[in-house]
Amino acid sequence: MKLIPQPIALKITAVFGAAGVALGAFGAHGLEDLLTKNGRVETWETATFYLLVHVVVMLVLATWKTWKPGAWLAFALGSAIFADSLYLLCLTQLGWLGAITPIGGVLMIVGWVLLAVRQ
């Protein structure tokens, strides 16, 4: 059994996609005043953009016939850490959360490298 079975990866990817759309809409409509006051509109948009871009890649990987979860897992963890740390930073203004964001970015880079060397 693989670390993450392919059907579970596909379900997690779908949840990430739904969350990305919901958080993007919530930021644009429900949190617009708070994000503007905190000067974090662009930060919220960046978090949502990176999350949704990597959801598309995760979807492709989760549907490949030759399931190798390494790159998918790096993208999933990286996207979650990257986006969630930025979302929390936007809402709380706790500056130390910005120090966590690069961990997610590095994991996303690892995902791309794994994708490059897996073929």
Side-chain angles (χ1 to χ4, degrees), residues 6 10 58-67:
Q6 192 171 10
L10 187 55
M58 290 165 59
L59 180 62
V60 169
L61 293 175
T63 58
W64 276 5
K65 291 183 190 233
T66 56
W67 172 240

Side-chain angles (χ1 to χ4, degrees), residues 10-105:
L10 187 55
K11 289 179 190 298
I12 292 169
T13 301
V15 170
F16 274 41
V21 173
L23 288 165
F26 190 50
H29 303 290
L31 296 175
E32 183 178 17
D33 292 341
L34 175 66
L35 295 175
T36 300
K37 182 185 94 170
N38 289 348
R40 295 291 184 180
V41 172
E42 288 181 11
T43 305
W44 191 276
E45 290 173 351
T46 297
T48 302
F49 177 75
Y50 275 76
L51 176 59
L52 290 174
V53 164
H54 286 86
V55 162
V56 172
V57 178
M58 290 165 59
L59 180 62
V60 169
L61 293 175
T63 58
W64 276 5
K65 291 183 190 233
T66 56
W67 172 240
K68 295 179 183 177
W72 180 91
L73 185 58
F75 286 133
L77 292 173
S79 298
I81 292 168
F82 183 87
D84 291 347
S85 66
L86 289 179
Y87 290 138
L88 288 172
L89 174 64
C90 290
L91 297 175
T92 66
Q93 291 293 85
L94 295 173
W96 61 266
L97 287 165
I100 295 172
T101 306
I103 297 168

